[in-house]
Amino acid sequence: MNIEELGKQIELAHGSGGKSTHRLIETAILPALKNSTLESLSDAAVINCEEKRLALTTDSFVVHPLLFPGGSIGKLAINGSVNDLAVSGAEPQAILLSLIVEAGLPMEIFLREIKAIADASSKAAVQVIGGDTKVVEHGKGDGMYITTTALGIVDPRINLSPRRIKPGDQIIVSGPIGDHGITILLARGEIDLEANLQSDSRPLWPLVKSMISVCPTAVKWMRDPTRGGVATVLNELSREIKMGIVLFEESIPLREEVRGACEILGLDPLHIACEGQFVAVVEKDLLSELLKELRKVPGGEGAVHIGEVREKPPGVVLAVSTYGGSRRVDMLIGDPLPRIC
Amino acid sequence: MNKEDQDLVAWHLHLKGKVQGVGFRPFVYRIAKEKNLKGWVSNNTDGVHIYVEGRREDLKAFYHFVLTHYPPIALVTESSCWEEPLQGYNDFFIKESIKEGSSSVLLLPDLDICENCIQELHSPTDRRYGYPFITCTQCGPRYSIIFALPFDRQRTSMEPFKMCKDCQKEYEDPTDRRFFSQTNSCKECGIELFLRDNQKHLLSCGDRAIRDGAEAILKGEVVAVKGIGGFLLIADAGNEQTLRKLREKKKRSHKPFALMFTDIQSVKEEVEIGEEEQNLLIARTKPIVILDRKKKNDSFVNPLVAPGQDTLGVMLAYSPLHILLLEQVRKPVVATSANISGSPILTIDEEIFGFLGHLVDKVLTHNRQIVVPQDDSVLVLTPFYKQPIFLRRSRSYAPFFSLGNLSLDKDVSLLAMGADQKGCLTICHEGNIYVSQYLGSLENFETEENYKKQLNYYFGLFNLNPDSIAVDLHPGYRSTEIGLSLGKERKIPSYYVQHHKAHFWAVLGENNLIDDPGPILGIIWDGTGFGEDGAIWGGEFFLYHEGKINRLRHFKYYPLLLGDKAIKEPRIAALGILWEMGKEYFLREKFSSPDWHTYLKLLNQRRYFLCSSVGRLFDCVCSMIGSYDHSTFEGQAAIEVQKLATRYAKSFGTLDRLPWKKFDFIKKRLNTQPQISLNSFFDWFIEAIRNHWPKEQLAFCFHYWLCLIILEVVHSFQIKKIALSGGVFQNGLLVDLLRFFCEGTLDLYSHQQLSPNDENISLGQLMALANEKKILRSKEKR
Ligand SMILES: [Fe+3]
Ligand SMILES: [Mg+2]
Ligand SMILES: [Zn+2]
Ligand SMILES: [Zn+2]
C-alpha cells in the first residue's frame, strides 16, 4: 500500500466520490479485502444462491442540511440503496437500517426522518426488516447519519456485464442530471439563486423493470451517478473496458436552473450528483425501443440518448459539440462540493 | 614553391548546422570543380562531409571559401577538418547520403518561394510556368514534408513523385539551380492540384482548379486551400456576408483573422509600414505581422476581419500556390488556419470534409502529404523601438533553435514537455536543441492527440532515448501527466520545473546568460502558473546567481475566484482585487444579483485561490475601465488595455514627448516592500475612473505604474541586468517603456527566437534540467 499516494491523513476529498475516493478504494481497501465480487466495484454485490441471484449493497448517508427541497436524509437513505440494487438489475426485497444520531437532535426532526424512511420504503415497495440505533455525543455527529443495507433479487432475464460492451453501443440517461447536487448547494446557501429546483431522489426500479420487460438483454451496464456525477461513473467504466466514451455535449439533459447554477460557479454539470437517475449502456439496435418504453413510465419521460462507446481513445471520456472540438471529461477532482452524498 | 606544397594531400571536412536541403552539396561541388579539386561531398546524419584532394594551399583556400560563401539560407554552426590518407580520385562527385551514424543534423524549417522560382513561375516560356509546386535548392517545404533524416527525397512526402527525364537531368546537372534539389518536380511528374466541392465531388484540376477556386472566393465562398503546414480557409476580406458566416460557423466572434496579400504595395494601402515592418514581411520566413491599420474610410478590409482592433495581421503569399491563387483573386484575402475552434490545423482532405464541410464551400487540395502540421507564425513589432516579438512561432521558424554561444554535451539527450496553454516540446539531442512549433492548447482533446503525435514523431525521427524528462509542476497539466507516464513506461526519471522559473531559464538560455556571473533580475509576468507554495503565480521577480534562481519579490497575493472561469471573465479578477481593498461595490453593476451574492459569500468564506498574476491585473483594469467583462478569446482583455494605452502614447509621436510630469504622482503610489502592493495604485485608479479620466490615459497609467514597479525593485537590489519573460511581455508598449527608461543604465534581455508566452516553457524546462545535469557551457570556456 502506498501511503505517499494517499496522503498523510484522511481528507474530505477522499469522500468526494471523485479521483481521491477512487484512489483510496483501489490502494487501501481492495488489496486488504481481496475478492472478486468486491473488485468488480459495481453498485451492488451479486451472490449466486441456488437458483436465484441475490444482490446486496450498503451505503452510508451524510448530508447537510438534513432537509432540502424534494427530500431529506431519510428518503435519500432508502432510495440510495434500492437504486444501487435497481442499477444492478435487482428488485429490492428488504432493508437493514442503521442510525447514528447526535445527542441534542430535536425529537421532531428524528420523527420526521423516521416517517421519511417509512414513506420512501413503502413507495419503493420494500420493507425495513431490521436495524440498529446509536447515539453519539453532541457535536460529534452532524445531527444524523444513516447506513442502509439492501437485499434484492436479480431479475433472471437481465445480463449486466461490462465485458459485453462493444464499440458502437449507446449511452442513455434516464432524465435531467445534477438536480440533487445543485439543490443541496442552494439549500446550503452556497449559490444565491432563486431557483425552483428539487432533489431528484426517487426509486429507479420501475424504470429499470420497464426496460427489462421489453428487451432485457439490450441493457449491458447501468450505474446511478451519485457522488462525482455522470463524469465519474463513465470514467470508471471507460477505464475498466479500455474503450472510449463519447458524450454529445448538446444532448445532455439539464434543467435551466442547474445550467445557471453551474455557470455561476464554473462547475461542469457532468460532475454534479443525481439521486434519481441512471446511466446505461445499451445495444444500438434496440436504443429507440428502450427509450420509447422508458418514456412511457412515469418519471422516465426525460430519458435520452447522450453518447456512445467507441474503440478509441481507450480509457477516456470525451464530450464533443457539433461544431467544436472535443474536451476530455475527467473524474471529479478535489472536493468542490464537500460531503454531498 | 617548395616540394611539399606541390604534393597532393587529402582533407576531410565536417560541417554542421543548417546544411541539408539548402543546396550545400551542389555549392561545394561547384567550388571544388572550379578549383579543380578531387574527391566527394556527402550528407550524413551528422552533417555534411567533404573529402577533398589537392594541394595544401588550395585546400586551405577551398575550406575558407566554403565557410564564407555558403548559400544564404544555410547556417554552419560547427566545422572541423582533418587530414586523411590520399585515395587518388580523378573527379569530384556527390555521394549518396549515408544513413548510419548519429543524426545531429539540424532539421530545416520550411522556406518560402525564392526570387528565381517566382520569375520562372511567371515566365510563359518556362516549363514550370504556373506550376504551383515549383521549388529549387533555395526554397520550398522542408520540415513539413520530412519523415526521417537526413533530408533526401525518399525520406520525404516527395517520395511518391518520380522525377521525369527533364527534372532528373536538372537534378544531376551540377551547373543547374536544381542540382540535387530533393523537392524537384514539374507539371510533367509532380504534384497535382484538385478543386472539390464540399461533397467531395471533383470540379477541376491543375490551372483550372486555381481559376475556379479564385472565382469561388470572389463569389463570396470559403475555400480551404492546402498549403505548406496545413489547410488555410481563404475568403474575400471585403465580403461582409462571407465573414459573418465564417465567424459564426468557426465559433470565433472577435478574434482577428489574418490577411494574405500578393505584394507589399497593396499591403501599404491598408497598414502603416516602415522599414522594419517591411523587412519582416518580406523575410524568407513570411510570418503574419501585426501592423497598425491605416485610418481611412475607403478601406477594402471589412471591419469583421478584426473587430475593434487598431491593427491587422498581414502576411505575403509565401508558396507558389498561394501566389497563383491570389493573382487570380486580385485582392487581399482572409487566410485563417482551417480547424475546428481550439483544435489543431487540419492537413487531410477527409478532415476538411468531415469537420468543416458546413463552413467550407470548396476545397483546393493536392496530393503531397503534409507530415508535420504547422500554423503560420505571428510576430508583432513594438510600437516605438520596432523590436519584433513572437506571438506564435511555427511555420518557417520551427524547429530550428540556435544555441548561440552555448554548447551541450553530445551524449546527453533530454526532453521537455512544456505547458498546457501553448503546447510546445523541446528536445536536446546530439548537442542540438529543437523547439517544436506551437502545438495549441491541450485542454482540447484533438490538440492533445496532435501533441502526442508530435512527440512520437520526434522519438522516431531522432531515435530518441532521453535521459530525463522535464515537466511543469502543475498537477493538473496534461503535458505533465503525459511526460510522467512516458517516464514511467520507459523508466526515464522525470524532473519538475516550476512554471515561472522555466520562463526565466528560457530567457537566460536564449541570451547566453546561463554562465553569466550575474546577478540577473528575472521579471516573469504572465497569466497563471502553479507556484511552489500552491498559490497561483504570475507576477514574479527572481534573482539568478551562480546557477540558482531565488524568488525575490512578487505581487502581493490577491483572491482569485473560481479557477478557469476567472480567466474567461475579467470582472472576476477585478472583484477579488477590489474586495480585498474593501472597494468591491465599485463593480456592483457588472454582476447579476445571484452572481454578486454568491461570489461575495465565497470570498467571505475564503474559498478562493491566492494569486500574484499580472495577466489578471490586466483583466482587472480592462473590467474596471469598462471595456470587457467577458473575454471571447485568450488574452483579449490584455490586448484591449494595451491597445488603449498605445493609442495614448502614440498620439505624442515619440516617447520623450509624453507629458511625463503629469504622471509623476504615480511614483508616490508604489509600494514594493515586503511585497508589491496593489492598494495605493488601485485606490487612485478608482478615483480617476470616477472622475472620468479617458480610458486611454487610464490604461497608460497602469502601464507606467508597472514600469515604475520594475524600476523600483531593480534599484532597491542594485541589479544591472534584467531579463523579461512570460506572456505579459507580448505587450510591446510595456517592453518599449522599459527600454525607454533603462537605456544606457541597465541591460535589458528578452526573447528573440521564441515567444515570451508559454511557448518558451519547454525550452526553459530543458535549460533548467541541462543546468542541473551540468551539461551546459559557453563555447569559449571549453
Ligand atoms: Fe506562463
Ligand atoms: Mg452507493
Ligand atoms: Zn526557388
Ligand atoms: Zn518533371
Side-chain angles (χ1 to χ4, degrees):
Chain A
M1 202 175 308
N2 188 350
I3 294 225
E4 219 160 87
E5 215 173 304
L6 288 170
K8 286 204 168 57
Q9 56 184 20
I10 293 288
E11 307 285 350
L12 279 174
H14 285 125
S16 67
K19 248 185 184 161
S20 309
T21 309
H22 198 70
R23 201 176 299 145
L24 186 73
I25 293 172
E26 294 221 307
T27 54
I29 301 175
L30 291 188
L33 303 176
K34 234 173 154 46
N35 69 62
S36 60
T37 315
L38 183 64
E39 273 155 16
S40 76
L41 282 184
S42 49
D43 277 322
V46 173
I47 312 153
N48 292 322
C49 188
E50 291 184 19
E51 247 115 273
K52 291 215 162 93
R53 294 166 77 218
L54 300 180
L56 192 59
T57 183
T58 189
D59 226 332
S60 294
F61 296 82
V62 290
V63 62
H64 180 81
L66 295 178
L67 183 69
F68 44 82
S72 67
I73 189 167
K75 181 173 177 188
L76 227 48
I78 297 301
N79 287 339
S81 279
V82 297
N83 286 349
D84 280 346
L85 292 178
V87 294
S88 308
E91 182 165 15
Q93 304 295 320
I95 287 184
L96 295 178
L97 174 74
S98 192
L99 298 169
I100 295 176
V101 190
E102 184 185 347
L105 182 79
M107 190 54 75
E108 204 181 321
I109 293 181
F110 183 78
L111 294 175
R112 179 192 77 200
E113 290 311 317
I114 296 301
K115 183 171 184 310
I117 289 166
D119 289 350
S121 47
S122 86
K123 199 152 186 218
V126 62
Q127 285 180 325
V128 175
I129 56 163
D132 176 49
T133 305
K134 292 279 185 313
V135 177
V136 295
E137 275 172 59
H138 185 63
K140 292 193 175 167
D142 258 352
M144 179 178 231
Y145 299 144
I146 304 179
T147 299
T148 49
T149 302
L151 179 75
I153 297 174
V154 180
D155 191 295
R157 293 167 291 177
I158 199 162
N159 179 8
L160 296 173
S161 164
R163 273 184 300 261
R164 292 179 55 216
I165 297 177
K166 289 187 184 65
D169 285 344
Q170 302 297 308
I171 296 164
I172 61 171
V173 64
S174 58
I177 63 168
D179 288 6
H180 177 76
I182 296 300
T183 302
I184 296 292
L185 278 185
L186 289 168
R188 280 189 202 157
E190 288 187 16
I191 314 170
D192 197 1
L193 193 66
E194 294 275 331
N196 191 13
L197 198 64
Q198 289 202 336
S199 165
D200 54 6
S201 176
R202 56 174 180 157
L204 286 171
W205 177 244
L207 294 175
V208 174
K209 199 169 130 191
S210 78
M211 291 199 296
I212 294 176
S213 62
V214 275
C215 22
T217 53
V219 187
K220 302 186 173 183
W221 175 92
M222 266 189 287
R223 287 292 299 271
D224 60 335
T226 54
R227 295 171 315 164
V230 173
T232 301
V233 293
L234 288 179
N235 263 287
E236 286 171 3
L237 177 66
S238 72
R239 286 170 204 198
E240 185 178 355
I241 62 179
K242 296 184 178 64
M243 289 178 217
I245 290 177
V246 172
L247 298 177
F248 312 128
E249 193 104 64
E250 286 96 347
S251 57
I252 292 162
L254 272 186
R255 289 186 209 282
E256 268 319 303
E257 292 88 339
V258 173
R259 190 190 303 281
C262 285
E263 175 61 25
I264 291 180
L265 291 177
L267 300 172
D268 185 347
L270 291 169
H271 284 141
I272 312 289
C274 310
E275 286 292 343
Q277 307 298 350
F278 65 80
V279 190
V281 174
V282 304
E283 219 167 90
K284 187 174 186 175
D285 296 335
L286 293 167
L287 170 73
S288 48
E289 291 286 295
L290 281 172
L291 284 175
K292 213 166 86 193
E293 196 58 32
L294 266 175
R295 287 173 186 156
K296 283 190 217 152
V297 185
E301 302 86 353
V304 281
H305 172 212
I306 58 162
E308 67 189 19
V309 178
R310 291 185 190 168
E311 196 181 327
K312 282 178 183 172
V316 176
V317 180
L318 293 179
V320 303
S321 54
T322 316
Y323 295 132
S326 326
R327 73 184 169 93
R328 182 188 277 268
V329 178
D330 212 339
M331 285 188 178
L332 179 66
I333 300 172
D335 195 14
L337 308 175
R339 312 235 287 157
I340 276 193
C341 69
Chain B
M1 195 174 283
N2 63 38
K3 186 174 174 297
E4 202 184 61
D5 282 343
Q6 291 189 0
D7 281 348
L8 292 182
V9 290
W11 281 12
H12 189 128
L13 316 184
H14 179 197
L15 308 174
K16 297 174 69 168
K18 274 189 197 174
V19 289
Q20 298 191 340
V22 292
F24 212 96
R25 287 173 298 173
F27 157 75
V28 169
Y29 177 89
R30 273 196 302 277
I31 305 309
K33 285 294 240 195
E34 261 169 40
K35 298 193 186 295
N36 200 23
L37 303 172
K38 317 293 182 202
W40 49 259
V41 56
S42 168
N43 262 349
N44 199 342
T45 44
D46 65 349
V48 164
H49 287 262
I50 305 167
Y51 171 90
V52 57
E53 299 175 345
R55 293 184 310 157
R56 191 174 298 273
E57 201 166 284
D58 292 340
L59 295 186
K60 247 186 230 170
F62 168 79
Y63 187 25
H64 183 252
F65 193 87
V66 166
L67 288 183
T68 48
H69 287 77
Y70 59 75
I73 56 167
L75 178 69
V76 175
T77 55
E78 262 187 86
S79 66
S80 51
C81 171
W82 60 89
E83 209 162 310
E84 273 191 2
L86 196 73
Q87 303 285 335
Y89 285 103
N90 46 28
D91 201 0
F92 196 89
F93 60 100
I94 295 182
K95 268 206 336 196
E96 278 287 306
S97 298
I98 320 153
K99 212 189 154 262
E100 302 82 59
S102 54
S103 47
S104 67
V105 281
L106 290 177
L107 264 176
L108 208 69
D110 298 303
L111 296 161
D112 70 340
I113 182 172
C114 74
E115 283 302 322
N116 287 329
C117 285
I118 289 187
Q119 263 187 21
E120 288 181 4
L121 185 71
H122 288 149
S123 145
T125 54
D126 194 276
R127 66 187 199 90
R128 287 191 183 80
Y129 175 60
Y131 176 53
F133 303 98
I134 184 171
T135 64
C136 70
T137 54
Q138 299 303 299
C139 74
R142 299 287 188 272
Y143 181 45
S144 63
I145 59 169
I146 187 167
F147 291 114
L149 287 167
F151 187 74
D152 268 339
R153 195 182 187 98
Q154 71 266 28
R155 287 183 277 274
T156 70
S157 60
M158 283 303 294
E159 193 269 336
F161 306 98
K162 195 174 157 16
M163 276 187 276
C164 70
K165 260 198 199 132
D166 288 343
C167 285
Q168 187 71 32
K169 222 166 98 193
E170 293 167 335
Y171 183 82
E172 284 166 7
D173 176 3
T175 62
D176 197 281
R177 312 200 285 118
R178 298 196 168 83
F179 180 49
F180 260 76
S181 168
Q182 304 303 326
T183 54
N184 199 27
S185 70
C186 73
K187 289 177 179 175
E188 254 336 281
C189 62
I191 300 135
E192 293 162 284
L193 199 61
F194 310 97
L195 183 74
R196 296 177 189 278
D197 66 13
N198 57 11
Q199 303 299 310
K200 307 186 198 181
H201 299 126
L202 183 65
L203 300 175
S204 45
C205 304
D207 297 348
R208 277 289 306 274
I210 296 181
R211 229 169 22 242
D212 295 347
E215 212 166 89
I217 293 167
L218 287 168
K219 268 195 336 215
E221 296 189 342
V222 176
V223 179
V225 180
K226 185 172 175 183
I228 302 294
F231 277 93
L232 291 181
L233 299 180
I234 295 193
D236 183 346
N239 189 324
E240 178 155 342
Q241 219 179 327
T242 306
L243 293 171
R244 184 154 287 144
K245 170 180 146 188
L246 198 56
R247 288 221 170 269
E248 202 177 291
K249 298 201 170 168
K250 213 172 178 245
K251 284 196 172 172
R252 178 158 157 166
S253 60
H254 288 86
K255 193 176 175 189
F257 288 134
L259 296 170
M260 188 185 267
F261 291 72
T262 42
D263 62 294
I264 200 88
Q265 280 316 317
S266 48
V267 178
K268 280 180 178 160
E269 283 169 27
E270 297 295 337
V271 290
E272 305 285 350
I273 292 193
E275 206 187 320
E276 294 90 346
E277 287 87 349
Q278 173 153 348
N279 287 341
L280 198 50
L281 273 172
I282 63 172
R284 292 296 307 269
T285 45
K286 295 289 187 298
I288 297 171
V289 187
I290 312 288
L291 299 165
D292 286 343
R293 193 165 183 174
K294 273 200 169 142
K295 288 180 190 72
K296 60 175 195 175
N297 296 325
D298 59 338
S299 169
F300 167 78
V301 178
N302 189 279
L304 277 180
V305 170
Q309 304 294 329
D310 291 348
T311 53
L312 288 174
V314 169
M315 69 181 135
L316 290 176
Y318 49 86
S319 85
L321 173 58
H322 293 129
I323 289 174
L324 293 170
L325 181 69
L326 258 68
E327 280 169 356
Q328 302 257 350
V329 178
R330 290 162 170 276
K331 45 183 170 178
V333 292
V334 158
T336 182
S337 299
N339 60 357
I340 310 162
S341 132
S343 302
I345 188 166
L346 301 179
T347 59
I348 299 171
D349 295 5
E350 285 306 314
E351 296 173 336
I352 295 285
F353 297 124
F355 301 131
L356 295 181
H358 62 291
L359 79 86
V360 166
D361 300 293
K362 304 261 154 63
V363 182
L364 184 58
T365 185
H366 58 73
N367 57 350
R368 180 176 62 203
Q369 186 189 343
I370 296 171
V371 181
V372 181
Q374 295 168 86
D375 294 280
D376 293 312
S377 298
V378 186
L379 282 119
V380 68
L381 288 152
T382 62
F384 296 99
Y385 293 98
K386 306 290 178 191
Q387 178 185 327
I389 301 176
F390 272 100
L391 303 183
R392 179 167 75 197
R393 176 185 159 281
S394 190
R395 194 242 327 134
S396 292
Y397 293 95
F400 179 74
F401 182 80
S402 163
L403 272 164
N405 252 344
L406 280 177
S407 114
L408 286 148
D409 278 4
K410 299 199 175 1
D411 47 0
V412 177
S413 169
L414 305 172
L415 166 66
M417 306 300 291
D420 268 21
Q421 270 272 298
K422 312 259 175 189
C424 180
L425 295 161
T426 296
I427 55 178
C428 140
H429 177 69
E430 299 285 341
N432 291 318
I433 282 187
Y434 303 91
V435 182
S436 82
Q437 67 278 19
Y438 159 82
L439 295 170
S441 172
L442 305 190
E443 69 182 338
N444 173 285
F445 182 75
E446 285 78 10
T447 303
E448 182 187 325
E449 291 291 284
N450 183 54
Y451 170 91
K452 287 184 186 158
K453 208 170 132 193
Q454 186 68 32
L455 187 61
N456 283 332
Y457 171 79
Y458 284 143
F459 268 89
L461 194 65
F462 299 109
N463 197 8
L464 212 58
N465 187 16
D467 300 281
S468 292
I469 301 175
V471 297
D472 196 282
L473 200 60
H474 196 302
Y477 270 2
R478 291 300 308 156
S479 52
T480 299
E481 162 89 30
I482 294 165
L484 292 181
S485 55
L486 183 74
K488 236 182 196 170
E489 215 173 276
R490 296 183 178 235
K491 305 206 173 10
I492 305 167
S494 40
Y495 179 78
Y496 288 94
V497 185
Q498 196 278 328
H499 186 94
H500 301 92
K501 290 185 174 173
H503 273 308
F504 194 14
W505 279 111
V507 65
L508 289 170
E510 233 189 273
N511 288 282
N512 292 315
L513 294 169
I514 306 267
D515 265 3
D516 197 278
I520 303 163
L521 183 72
I523 297 159
I524 313 298
W525 291 357
D526 69 355
T528 52
F530 189 69
E532 284 162 356
D533 56 358
I536 310 286
W537 291 10
E540 313 307 311
F541 297 78
F542 293 116
L543 188 74
Y544 181 75
H545 192 51
E546 290 175 349
K548 293 254 167 337
I549 292 177
N550 282 308
R551 193 181 188 208
L552 280 185
R553 286 275 184 283
H554 60 85
F555 275 80
K556 196 163 168 276
Y557 289 141
Y558 56 84
L560 185 71
L561 287 172
L562 305 175
D564 283 351
K565 185 178 162 76
I567 292 158
K568 289 174 186 138
E569 296 185 21
R571 60 179 188 154
I572 290 177
L575 181 63
I577 289 163
L578 295 202
W579 175 81
E580 182 108 309
M581 295 166 59
K583 306 230 158 139
E584 72 279 6
Y585 206 75
F586 180 77
L587 303 167
R588 178 62 189 86
E589 67 197 26
K590 296 178 182 296
F591 295 87
S592 73
S593 199
D595 286 1
W596 180 256
H597 294 294
T598 304
Y599 298 157
L600 284 190
K601 195 166 277 172
L602 290 176
L603 285 164
N604 286 320
Q605 294 171 351
R606 320 243 157 236
R607 288 169 57 183
Y608 48 70
F609 299 99
L610 293 173
C611 177
S612 60
S613 157
V614 175
R616 299 286 84 77
L617 293 185
F618 273 89
D619 289 358
C620 171
V621 166
C622 180
S623 169
M624 285 176 75
I625 63 178
S627 284
Y628 287 104
D629 289 317
H630 300 263
S631 297
T632 65
F633 62 92
E634 190 231 332
Q636 188 178 16
I639 290 169
E640 174 72 11
V641 174
Q642 175 190 349
K643 175 188 87 181
L644 294 169
T646 307
R647 250 185 219 169
Y648 179 76
K650 276 207 158 179
S651 67
F652 295 91
T654 53
L655 286 175
D656 53 340
R657 286 202 224 132
L658 257 84
W660 292 107
K661 281 237 157 60
K662 183 174 166 186
F663 303 116
D664 258 357
F665 68 93
I666 298 178
K667 291 183 180 157
K668 297 194 193 77
R669 293 187 175 266
L670 301 178
N671 192 350
T672 62
Q673 282 176 10
Q675 299 307 345
I676 292 127
S677 155
L678 307 176
N679 293 17
S680 176
F681 179 76
F682 278 95
D683 269 338
W684 168 78
F685 207 70
I686 292 173
E687 277 321 298
I689 294 169
R690 287 199 172 122
N691 292 330
H692 305 290
W693 275 52
K695 276 185 185 185
E696 285 81 0
Q697 273 190 54
L698 288 167
F700 180 79
C701 287
F702 172 63
H703 280 75
Y704 186 38
W705 175 66
L706 290 174
C707 281
L708 291 173
I709 288 169
I710 292 175
L711 296 173
E712 170 127 334
V713 174
V714 170
H715 290 140
S716 68
F717 288 98
Q718 305 269 329
I719 298 169
K720 285 264 172 287
K721 292 180 177 178
I722 309 173
L724 310 175
S725 187
V728 167
F729 294 105
Q730 294 173 104
N731 182 323
L733 177 64
L734 189 60
V735 172
D736 274 354
L737 286 174
L738 279 171
R739 181 152 163 199
F740 179 69
F741 291 118
C742 295
E743 204 134 62
T745 55
L746 304 167
D747 295 332
L748 210 55
Y749 299 93
S750 41
H751 291 277
Q752 285 121 42
Q753 298 186 60
L754 302 184
S755 170
N757 70 31
D758 281 3
E759 285 176 48
N760 72 48
I761 290 289
S762 60
L763 176 75
Q765 293 168 342
L766 194 109
M767 287 290 158
L769 185 51
N771 182 66
E772 180 75 17
K773 294 192 161 263
K774 307 205 187 328
I775 59 163
L776 267 177
R777 59 207 93 239
S778 287
K779 274 181 188 165
E780 296 94 282
K781 288 184 189 162
R782 265 198 301 173

